[in-house]
Amino acid sequence: MVDRGGRYERDNRDNRDNRDNRERDRGGFRDGGRPQHFKKRRYQDDDDRDYRQQRPRYEDPMVRLRKDVLAIAESPLIKVEDSIRSIAKSLSAHWDHEAIRKGFVTLIKTLVVEQPFKIPFVAAIVLCANAQKHEIGKLVLDEFAAQLQNYLDNCEWRNFKLTLRFMGSVSCMLDGEGVATLLNDLANLTGDLAAEGGSSGLSEELSFVVLITIPYILTSAPGGITEEFLTTLIERLEGMQVPSAVEPLLSPYSGPNAPYPPMNNTTLLLNALKDEAASGFKFEILARPWEPFLAELEAATKHFFPTITMPTALEGGTIFPKVYFSVFQGAVHETVPLQTSISSSILRDSIGDTIGLLDFNRIACARFLIDVDCYFAPNAFLKRATPFDKIPEVSEGKSTWKPEDVCVDAIFTNIFQLPQPEHKLVYYHATLTEVCKLAPQAVAPSLGRAIRYLYRNLESMDVELRYRFIDWFAHHLSNFGYTWKWTEWIPDLELSKVHPRRSFIQEAVEKEIRLSFANRVKSTLPEQYCELVPEDKEKELPDFKFESDDIAFPEEGKQLLNLIRQKAPNEEVDTLMNAITDAANNKGLPDPSKYARDMYMTCICHIGAKSLSHVLSCIERCKEKLTQLGQESSQAQRQIVGTVMRYWADQPGIGANVIDKLLNYSILTPLSVIEWVVLDAGGEVLPRGHAWEMVNTTTRKVVLRTRNLASARGEDLPEEQIATAEQQHEVAKAEQAELFKVVMEGLGRYEDGGVVVGKEGTSGEDVELLKWWAASWLRALKRQRDIEEAEEAMRVSTGSGAGAMDEDGDEDKEGGDDENAMEEEV
Amino acid sequence: MAGSGLVTFGRIAFLLTGKTRLPGTCSRQTFELTISPTLPTSITKSAAAATADMSHHQQHQSTVERLDRPSTYYDKSGKRTRDDAANKEDPLKDATTLYVGNLSFYTTEEQIHELFSKCGEIKRLVMGLDRFAKTPCGFCFVEYYTHEDALDCMKYIGGTKLDERIVRTDLDPGFKEGRQYGRGKSGGQVRDEYREDYDAGRGGYGRSLQGGKEMGSEYD
């Protein structure tokens, strides 16, 4: 390792800037052939390239230090203890420079909360440097303590947890019991919160924070904290667990065929720790990079651990319990740690944080995931890219965990997190794509097994998750040429159209077409799938139904189309439409005005069929008339929804989009959209992706509006605005309650057989399946409603937070009202 | 209950930007849905701010490069000196619009909508058009309601595939009439003039290399 610095630096740069380099090279090549005046301009444009080529002969020690610290443990080719030693050495050599001191501490503070995998290694650097120069340890400790306090006061639990983890990992240089006092205080706080009922989920989060710190303390160089203390701590926290009210609705699977029972992450961790305590706290998964330096570390100066004060006011919204999810659970070979093992909890936590923190660079995130085996104990994993069927050849007692499976599993855990994952779903889609791009050979088979697992369990999967699965699957395939082993699902094409597996295939193809076009998708599917992409989908424009004669008022339909297309004056349109209504009335048809309404909306759809902007400009032009039509009768808006969806029957995704825009224009109310889906469209619509999408987007819009109005109440606004906001919030709340009530009742009737699902002639089996669909929709929507109600109840109780002490009476009254409201709904 | 109408999703303003569209051509229009909430703006802002976790630690230099930074395109075209840049407010600070490049000429608004709405509701979509033919020429502007959605789009969609092509996204200070047209000599984008590779999704070889009469050469 004599020449390590130079060689290493070169390697590092090449790796990191690979893409940039390529671009730069291309740029350079182009420049070569350009006339001088061009070159001058380009010089200014691409200036950073020219500067970089004149590399300074002298390298700033901080730049070097930064590079080395950031690269710690990244390369399996470099012995990590060599890196640690050399960084510690250069650190103590340059410690007199303020730039180095500041730079280093800032760097590792950020590193700890951005790249949690590296915490044990960074801790080892600090321990080692402290052994050489005790001022280093002192400064790091003080700075981290201040940071820790900061995170605690701001309720930034993840950053708090990671910073605390770092503190636990340097226990060896802490005087006395080190972080023990802090852990005790946190446990007390948890106890207090749990005693209050723990409804915000914070007590569970805090117990998780404390518990997950324990393995890191015990695998760091020996410090003052004893195993007895930690065992007692675990027992204490166990007594503080309160079950969460919403948790039963958050489980990914339900029903008798669920692949595994619902499991709570904190409970799993707690039980695994108890097992570990019984078997002597081994924590074999964790790396112990300090081991080679043990003798030095024991002789090093120890520092007093600064006091951390517990916060008086805890803010932040509800923290939902995290529920266990895995796509490799129960497989023939144990490719991911068993959920009950401590390794499972440690890995899932650490990888989960890495994914959660690095959303601003999915490519870097994917790189860390692929390199996951670098950051844990050597031999904790199988060799990368070991094929699944080669696992039986692994010798007894060796790990069978596939690093690819572990990281794929972690990403899916996020996608399938209820009620919502931390980031937008598309982030996880993109990360999986990047992981596949980085190591296609290794990851693709893992992904294949994951897809099959999910597909097998569709019948127990939550309806929202089923939709997320479809959405991810189609999006993923769209990034990889739409290739999938469709042949293996051919037998399932025989299933009833409302069967969850058959529905999945249909909807996945549908989604693919929305990202691409019918012919392209068709070309990627086996012949047997042709039926799923009927010719009608390939049509440029859907048929205009008034072209055919077996419909009421075909001539008038064509006339109206021309009038609207030619932007005829309103009077002409009105005259024609009134004539149609009169004619229908004379014929004695029921609801005579609906014919003209349907005709008008159909014409708009047809004129705007070319593209979204076409239909929007047409809607914009006819906005007033449309609004007026929607108010003609209580059924009018629902009929408009029906008209649009009928026009786009072959591409219901586009129809759903148009409906969403009509909602934005307030031509339709949210309620009318929901009513159409659950009351008018018939039970057969329940297995359809677009139907779920319509209901889901609409309810979310309503919920979001209520939330925004609720948060407005807490703002510093002029009095009259507060009153308006207050009033609007009440109205929004009522509308939201009504919406959920209609959905529940509508679906409830399907589920209990009050209304027959399916058209006449639907087989008994299908009727049962449709009832099952209704039940699964019901569960998902009940979750949405219950969460909103719980949030609102929380807002009411904490919203008056500051004034709670002196306005006790008011608070009670408000709470009481809210309860009544809820009772009325149920 | 139906249509109590007291709280609506908001007023909607509409602006048709492709007004110079030639009659009879199969060009695209653009749409804009401006949902102005019936609330004071500060309210909606606060809701967005609550979710945008731009907490203090992110002010530090990150240990990993961020994907939601704008490219150097605007620095370059601004021709500003360093001092100027420091004084002026960053035009992309609250940007909600993205320039999207490297699209196929055949990619439709619906496809773009399908992918880009994964990052948030789309307020406006402006297809880039050939200046002469008024047909799509491989780029567009996507406008979201919030800055956060635009940043997320940079992070999660830029560099991924749409219609089997890797799309490029860049933060943009906002669409202005006229910018929907290609600025190349023959009406399309400049990059499609001299391109030496064959790209079926973007009209084959670069137009200048295709020989024969150049489209729109009469304007030179």
Side-chain angles (χ1 to χ4, degrees):
Chain A
M1 288 296 10
V2 189
D3 182 33
R4 185 182 158 277
R7 186 160 48 87
Y8 173 52
E9 177 199 303
R10 214 164 27 243
D11 287 345
N12 186 37
R13 197 197 56 218
D14 285 351
N15 283 338
R16 208 172 23 142
D17 291 341
N18 216 352
R19 206 184 44 179
D20 292 359
N21 273 343
R22 245 185 292 141
E23 269 163 26
R24 248 183 269 145
D25 288 346
R26 225 195 299 142
F29 177 70
R30 265 209 314 251
D31 257 1
R34 272 174 187 259
Q36 197 55 42
H37 65 278
F38 269 126
K39 212 170 199 170
K40 216 169 179 182
R41 264 182 57 200
R42 292 200 60 82
Y43 172 73
Q44 221 176 19
D45 290 354
D46 297 350
D47 56 356
D48 62 348
R49 181 189 68 229
D50 290 46
Y51 283 120
R52 280 205 212 169
Q53 273 167 1
Q54 311 162 358
R55 299 210 314 114
R57 259 165 248 134
Y58 161 80
E59 196 178 26
D60 181 343
M62 188 55 223
V63 173
R64 169 71 187 280
L65 187 68
R66 186 180 162 84
K67 249 191 259 174
D68 287 352
V69 172
L70 284 181
I72 191 81
E74 272 184 3
S75 167
L77 303 173
I78 302 163
K79 268 187 161 178
V80 73
E81 66 238 47
D82 293 337
S83 307
I84 293 172
R85 195 183 299 278
S86 99
I87 295 169
K89 202 171 143 197
S90 98
L91 202 55
S92 53
H94 292 102
W95 196 249
D96 298 338
H97 302 286
E98 204 195 346
I100 292 277
R101 287 200 299 269
K102 268 204 173 138
F104 176 72
V105 177
T106 314
L107 173 67
I108 61 170
K109 273 198 293 195
T110 320
L111 190 62
V112 162
V113 293
E114 281 185 348
Q115 305 185 26
F117 284 163
K118 294 181 181 166
I119 293 175
F121 305 96
V122 178
I125 293 175
V126 173
L127 287 179
C128 207
N130 182 59
Q132 292 173 21
K133 213 180 187 84
H134 64 90
E135 291 91 339
I136 300 180
K138 174 88 177 89
L139 183 73
V140 168
L141 210 54
D142 289 345
E143 291 268 338
F144 267 77
Q147 185 77 331
L148 195 63
Q149 183 73 60
N150 204 343
Y151 289 140
L152 183 61
D153 294 342
N154 291 307
C155 299
E156 292 179 65
W157 299 118
R158 176 185 277 150
N159 287 352
F160 176 76
K161 172 178 78 177
L162 296 172
T163 309
L164 177 64
R165 176 174 308 172
F166 173 83
M167 299 296 230
S169 303
V170 294
S171 289
C172 157
M173 66 174 201
L174 301 180
D175 222 6
E177 289 195 328
V179 292
T181 323
L182 176 56
L183 292 179
N184 245 335
D185 290 349
L186 286 170
N188 291 340
L189 185 60
T190 310
D192 293 348
L193 286 165
E196 284 168 21
S199 60
S200 68
L202 188 55
S203 64
E204 186 179 324
E205 179 77 9
L206 272 177
S207 14
F208 190 88
V209 168
V210 174
L211 291 170
I212 198 70
T213 311
I214 293 173
Y216 292 91
I217 294 176
L218 288 172
T219 49
S220 72
I225 300 191
T226 59
E227 289 188 9
E228 292 72 48
F229 169 78
L230 293 172
T231 315
T232 325
L233 193 66
I234 295 168
E235 280 163 11
R236 270 185 69 199
L237 285 165
E238 189 186 10
M240 294 171 186
Q241 298 309 305
V242 259
S244 147
V246 284
E247 194 169 323
L249 289 168
L250 299 181
S251 61
Y253 298 106
S254 54
N257 297 322
Y260 47 80
M263 289 176 268
N264 174 300
N265 280 355
T266 311
T267 317
L268 283 172
L269 171 63
L270 191 71
N271 290 336
L273 275 173
K274 273 161 55 193
D275 289 351
E276 277 292 309
S279 63
F281 290 123
K282 289 203 200 75
F283 304 117
E284 281 163 343
I285 180 102
L286 289 173
R288 291 158 171 84
W290 48 268
E291 267 175 348
F293 311 104
L294 188 56
E296 299 162 46
L297 299 190
E298 278 173 343
T301 316
K302 295 195 191 307
H303 306 276
F304 174 70
F305 183 71
T307 315
I308 304 286
T309 36
M310 287 298 111
T312 44
L314 292 165
E315 286 173 17
T318 318
I319 304 170
F320 291 101
K322 304 278 183 301
V323 178
Y324 173 82
F325 184 85
S326 170
V327 289
F328 299 114
Q329 204 269 352
V332 194
H333 308 303
E334 192 187 305
T335 60
V336 296
L338 214 58
Q339 72 271 16
T340 49
S341 70
I342 188 68
S343 301
S344 165
S345 288
I346 291 175
L347 271 175
R348 290 175 151 264
D349 167 69
S350 184
I351 302 179
D353 284 340
T354 304
I355 297 172
L357 288 164
L358 287 177
D359 84 293
F360 58 85
N361 190 332
R362 58 176 202 267
I363 301 162
C365 177
R367 182 84 259 170
F368 282 119
L369 295 185
I370 287 293
D371 291 343
V372 65
D373 51 356
C374 293
Y375 304 103
F376 289 89
N379 305 322
F381 294 94
L382 271 174
K383 203 168 153 281
R384 289 185 200 176
T386 307
F388 187 72
D389 48 12
K390 293 275 186 297
I391 294 180
E393 294 165 25
V394 174
S395 51
E396 194 68 31
K398 283 249 172 104
S399 167
T400 55
W401 301 335
K402 269 172 73 61
E404 301 83 20
D405 278 22
V406 169
C407 76
V408 164
D409 212 18
I411 303 176
F412 276 114
T413 303
N414 276 292
I415 297 182
F416 288 82
Q417 187 76 62
L418 286 173
Q420 287 297 317
E422 184 182 356
H423 299 291
K424 288 172 184 152
L425 286 159
V426 60
Y427 164 55
Y428 307 106
H429 299 184
T431 310
L432 264 175
T433 303
E434 295 304 331
V435 169
C436 285
K437 273 162 57 182
L438 281 173
Q441 309 294 330
V443 178
S446 291
L447 212 53
R449 272 181 296 114
I451 292 166
R452 289 179 188 107
Y453 182 96
L454 292 168
Y455 183 78
R456 270 201 309 278
N457 289 300
L458 276 169
E459 282 149 87
S460 320
M461 199 184 281
D462 184 88
V463 68
E464 182 158 350
L465 300 184
R466 206 176 305 141
Y467 181 77
R468 286 189 203 168
F469 180 25
I470 293 167
D471 194 39
W472 164 75
F473 184 66
H475 186 202
H476 186 82
L477 294 195
S478 81
N479 270 282
F480 294 94
Y482 299 98
T483 46
W484 168 248
K485 247 192 182 169
W486 290 103
T487 45
E488 67 184 49
W489 292 342
I490 288 175
D492 285 351
L493 290 173
E494 304 296 324
L495 292 168
S496 154
K497 278 195 176 163
V498 299
H499 190 282
R501 289 209 295 276
R502 174 67 167 70
S503 147
F504 172 83
I505 298 174
Q506 173 79 53
E507 298 306 322
V509 169
E510 204 88 36
K511 268 275 173 192
E512 284 192 343
I513 294 173
R514 282 169 75 174
L515 284 165
S516 181
F517 49 99
N519 260 333
R520 168 68 183 129
V521 171
K522 207 173 179 177
S523 73
T524 63
L525 295 170
E527 248 177 283
Q528 290 86 339
Y529 284 74
C530 274
E531 194 205 328
L532 299 186
V533 194
E535 306 257 307
D536 289 339
K537 281 197 192 301
E538 295 166 34
K539 272 190 208 153
E540 190 95 324
L541 297 176
D543 291 332
F544 183 59
K545 65 182 177 186
F546 297 98
E547 296 285 351
S548 90
D549 289 333
D550 53 355
I551 188 166
F553 310 113
E555 287 313 312
E556 288 83 348
K558 278 170 259 182
Q559 259 178 322
L560 186 62
L561 182 71
N562 278 332
L563 286 182
I564 301 176
R565 192 171 265 162
Q566 289 157 5
K567 302 180 184 162
N570 289 343
E571 297 75 43
E572 274 183 57
V573 174
D574 288 345
T575 315
L576 178 61
M577 288 178 64
N578 289 337
I580 295 164
T581 308
D582 289 345
N585 205 7
N586 291 339
K587 282 186 192 175
L589 296 170
D591 193 4
S593 66
K594 80 175 179 194
Y595 296 91
R597 234 172 3 242
D598 172 59
M599 194 180 280
Y600 192 79
M601 192 64 229
T602 307
C603 290
I604 289 180
C605 284
H606 195 63
I607 293 168
K610 232 179 221 165
S611 78
L612 213 49
S613 3
H614 283 84
V615 75
L616 282 166
S617 80
C618 197
I619 292 172
E620 170 65 28
R621 187 153 62 79
C622 306
K623 192 169 64 190
E624 273 160 40
K625 181 80 187 163
L626 278 171
T627 311
Q628 180 216 321
L629 286 178
Q631 284 156 4
E632 278 179 357
S633 77
S634 60
Q635 304 288 307
Q637 296 192 2
R638 282 157 70 172
Q639 287 167 6
I640 291 176
V641 179
T643 302
V644 174
M645 295 312 288
R646 205 168 319 117
Y647 181 81
W648 286 111
D650 290 315
Q651 292 175 69
I654 298 183
N657 250 340
V658 173
I659 298 293
D660 191 42
K661 302 300 176 202
L662 288 172
L663 192 68
N664 285 351
Y665 275 104
S666 301
I667 292 168
L668 300 176
T669 59
L671 190 63
S672 65
V673 179
I674 302 284
E675 282 179 329
W676 181 81
V677 179
V678 299
L679 302 176
D680 301 343
E684 308 80 52
V685 85
L686 298 178
R688 300 301 308 270
H690 70 266
W692 173 253
E693 200 178 303
M694 281 167 84
V695 169
N696 200 28
T697 4
T698 309
T699 50
R700 281 195 195 285
K701 267 190 185 169
V702 172
V703 159
L704 191 70
R705 182 184 54 185
T706 316
R707 280 194 196 177
N708 284 346
L709 285 163
S711 63
R713 297 184 312 183
E715 300 264 322
D716 288 332
L717 293 173
E719 213 157 284
E720 72 275 10
Q721 279 191 30
I722 292 194
T724 327
E726 193 83 37
Q727 191 202 357
Q728 285 180 334
H729 178 240
E730 287 308 315
V731 174
K733 236 166 63 180
E735 198 177 336
Q736 178 178 311
E738 170 78 4
L739 196 82
F740 279 119
K741 188 173 150 229
V742 168
V743 177
M744 300 294 161
E745 282 176 4
L747 292 169
R749 276 198 289 267
Y750 282 140
E751 193 202 12
D752 61 22
V755 170
V756 181
V757 272
K759 295 192 194 83
E760 257 179 77
T762 309
S763 73
E765 243 170 81
D766 281 6
V767 169
E768 283 313 303
L769 278 174
L770 286 173
K771 278 188 185 170
W772 170 86
W773 278 99
S776 72
W777 275 51
L778 213 47
R779 178 180 191 260
L781 287 157
K782 186 171 177 332
R783 174 173 58 236
Q784 281 188 17
R785 186 198 63 185
D786 287 2
I787 286 173
E788 287 319 308
E789 280 175 2
E791 292 273 295
E792 178 59 24
M794 278 264 290
R795 269 195 295 266
V796 172
S797 62
T798 57
S800 38
M805 298 297 174
D806 43 74
E807 285 172 66
D808 249 346
D810 276 354
E811 198 195 10
D812 281 347
K813 209 175 99 214
E814 233 181 300
D817 279 349
D818 203 67
E819 261 171 43
N820 286 341
M822 268 194 254
E823 273 164 30
E824 270 166 35
E825 278 155 37
V826 185
Chain B
M1 178 64 221
S4 67
L6 266 166
V7 183
T8 61
F9 280 107
R11 240 166 349 98
I12 285 158
F14 180 86
L15 185 87
L16 189 64
T17 29
K19 277 182 191 135
T20 42
R21 188 159 82 93
L22 300 180
T25 54
C26 171
S27 74
R28 313 302 178 96
Q29 295 158 317
T30 57
F31 70 78
E32 174 180 20
L33 278 173
T34 315
I35 301 183
S36 39
T38 42
L39 302 168
T41 43
S42 62
I43 294 171
T44 40
K45 249 190 197 159
S46 75
T51 46
D53 61 327
M54 279 299 162
S55 46
H56 41 86
H57 65 267
Q58 285 187 353
Q59 286 162 12
H60 291 301
Q61 192 185 359
S62 209
T63 61
V64 174
E65 188 194 342
R66 298 189 66 94
L67 296 182
D68 54 3
R69 296 270 183 257
S71 74
T72 50
Y73 182 83
Y74 288 98
D75 288 346
K76 284 191 240 167
S77 53
K79 288 197 180 108
R80 282 185 264 118
T81 64
R82 234 165 251 271
D83 291 339
D84 263 356
N87 293 331
K88 262 192 199 146
E89 204 171 271
D90 180 3
L92 300 173
K93 187 168 64 78
D94 301 313
T96 53
T97 304
L98 294 153
Y99 163 89
V100 182
N102 196 34
L103 297 172
S104 147
F105 292 178
Y106 306 103
T107 300
T108 63
E109 279 179 29
E110 280 71 19
Q111 286 173 280
I112 297 169
H113 195 276
E114 180 67 27
L115 179 66
F116 282 81
S117 60
K118 290 183 194 298
C119 275
E121 191 168 353
I122 294 172
K123 182 174 172 188
R124 178 163 66 158
L125 179 57
V126 184
M127 292 297 278
L129 301 177
D130 184 294
R131 204 163 66 244
F132 305 115
K134 302 289 182 286
T135 53
C137 71
F139 73 97
C140 74
F141 295 97
V142 172
E143 189 182 339
Y144 290 99
Y145 285 98
T146 67
H147 179 55
E148 197 203 348
D149 288 347
L151 290 180
D152 284 349
C153 186
M154 290 287 287
K155 293 186 286 190
Y156 313 148
I157 292 184
T160 67
K161 280 187 181 175
L162 174 60
D163 226 355
E164 304 181 62
R165 305 175 63 90
I166 299 225
V167 295
R168 185 173 84 83
T169 56
D170 203 353
L171 285 175
D172 191 280
F175 173 76
K176 285 209 179 68
E177 178 55 35
R179 286 188 63 203
Q180 72 268 48
Y181 300 116
R183 292 178 305 174
K185 207 158 118 194
S186 47
Q189 286 198 279
V190 180
R191 58 167 284 206
D192 289 316
E193 289 295 333
Y194 303 100
R195 205 159 25 75
E196 288 174 34
D197 53 330
Y198 184 84
D199 186 342
R202 293 183 71 101
Y205 295 107
R207 298 222 187 143
S208 301
L209 305 170
Q210 280 182 23
K213 207 172 77 184
E214 260 182 23
M215 260 170 87
S217 54
E218 64 270 31
Y219 289 93
D220 287 340

